[in-house]
Amino acid sequence: MTNVCTAGLDVGFASLDYLQIFILGVIQGITELLPVSSTAHMRVVPALLGWQDPGSAFSAAMQLAALAAVVSYFWRDVRQVTTGSISAVRRGDYNDPWFKLAVAIVLATLPIGIAGLALSSTLNTCNSPLRGLMVIGIACVVMAILLALAEVRARHTRDVGQMRLRDALIVGVAQIGALIPGVSRSGSTLTAALFLNFKREEAARFSFLLGLPAIALAGLKELWVLLHADMPAHAWPHLIFGLVVASISAFFAIWGLMKFLERFSTWPFVIYRALLGVFLIVAVSTGLLS
């Protein structure tokens, strides 16, 4: 497969048909919010099926679908964090739990914001070395090991209301790993929160709320870049269609994950990530994939 470049951006999705966009939209929506890495799947699935790589610009812009799903599912939390923190500032009550949570989210967003800007020229460029299948395979295996260690070590006793600024910063630093395909934003933040002894569902809840600013900034930035990239006119309907499909699948992915983590551990994701990573490493090493 070749890269389709426009103003230095890989916009391979413009050459895909609507059925392919639909399939990738469903996969993107589901994997964006599960701890399995959406960018890895956006690279691996087309490679396996012999399709054009949709490009990192597609994956980045598709994050807005996750944004819509998270806001819809956690609307009560989003509203309370927003209104509660504003009310706390007006009262001068900086010990208000909603204000503290808002500060924690902002603090945890700073690391990936800084790192994303510093690496933007590398992340979304054509032929980016970070989108290599070997890199993705290694990242999947490493994160599987870290998530497994978190499950073994975690005591699962804390909730979001007990989040300290130090905890938020640690989770925020872990989120930087999401810039590498195969790591997963939800996977890295969920793993860090488990290491800090948060309950599984509470770790996922904070991971999703923390992701709102990062997802919004990354998605809107990518749309801005695409607007100035002189893309083919037919690429925009493809992108909008993909966003709609991904939004719907992302909502059901959140619902399913939250229900799952209330009753079960993250071991199925550990096993899946490990198998996917080993498969990619072997496939690239033997020449099956490139």
Side-chain angles (χ1 to χ4, degrees):
M1 293 182 292
T2 58
N3 294 100
V4 180
C5 294
T6 298
L9 291 175
D10 186 355
V11 290
F13 70 90
S15 63
L16 299 176
D17 59 40
Y18 279 100
L19 177 59
Q20 292 169 323
I21 291 290
F22 175 83
I23 294 172
L24 293 180
V26 170
I27 295 172
Q28 168 74 25
I30 294 173
T31 58
E32 175 68 36
L33 298 174
L34 297 183
V36 295
S37 179
S38 61
T39 48
H41 287 78
M42 286 298 98
R43 181 70 178 85
V44 172
V45 172
L48 289 174
L49 297 177
W51 297 352
Q52 173 65 50
D53 180 359
S56 57
F58 179 81
S59 296
M62 285 294 105
Q63 291 186 64
L64 292 176
L67 177 68
V70 172
V71 170
S72 298
Y73 189 89
F74 291 101
W75 173 243
R76 181 176 299 176
D77 286 308
V78 173
R79 183 182 60 191
Q80 288 181 317
V81 169
T82 304
T83 60
S85 57
I86 292 174
S87 176
V89 170
R90 288 175 176 171
R91 299 192 313 270
D93 180 11
Y94 301 112
N95 288 318
D96 181 272
W98 294 113
F99 175 79
K100 287 184 175 180
L101 181 56
V103 172
I105 291 172
V106 171
L107 180 64
T109 302
L110 293 178
I112 194 172
I114 296 171
L117 289 174
L119 298 174
S120 60
S121 60
T122 300
L123 295 172
N124 293 336
T125 187
C126 293
N127 301 309
S128 171
L130 293 179
R131 286 179 64 80
L133 291 177
M134 180 61 78
V135 173
I136 293 173
I138 293 172
C140 283
V141 172
V142 170
M143 282 305 303
I145 294 172
L146 290 175
L147 185 55
L149 289 174
E151 270 292 352
V152 171
R153 181 189 179 281
R155 293 194 295 270
H156 311 296
T157 57
R158 303 174 65 195
D159 57 40
V160 171
Q162 297 172 301
M163 176 71 65
R164 300 187 298 263
L165 293 183
R166 180 178 66 86
D167 300 324
L169 186 58
I170 291 172
V171 176
V173 171
Q175 189 176 212
I176 295 176
L179 297 175
I180 302 174
V183 170
S184 166
R185 194 205 64 79
S186 61
S188 60
T189 53
L190 179 65
T191 299
L194 288 177
F195 270 119
L196 294 169
N197 296 315
F198 283 88
K199 299 174 185 176
R200 295 185 187 94
E201 66 274 18
E202 290 292 292
R205 179 184 169 211
F206 182 69
S207 172
F208 288 136
L209 292 175
L210 166 61
L212 288 175
I215 292 171
L217 291 173
L220 292 173
K221 173 186 174 295
E222 201 58 42
L223 281 183
W224 177 262
V225 172
L226 290 173
L227 280 170
H228 295 80
D230 297 322
M231 284 199 311
H234 70 274
W236 287 106
H238 283 198
L239 189 62
I240 294 171
F241 179 67
L243 279 169
V244 173
V245 173
S247 296
I248 296 171
S249 59
F251 182 87
F252 285 103
I254 297 177
W255 178 83
L257 179 63
M258 295 302 292
K259 296 297 182 183
F260 181 87
L261 293 180
E262 288 175 2
R263 301 179 58 188
F264 305 105
S265 72
T266 62
W267 281 108
F269 300 113
V270 171
I271 296 170
Y272 176 79
R273 291 185 65 99
L275 291 176
L276 176 61
V278 170
F279 166 74
L280 289 176
I281 292 172
V282 172
V284 173
S285 299
T286 59
L288 179 63
L289 293 175
S290 60

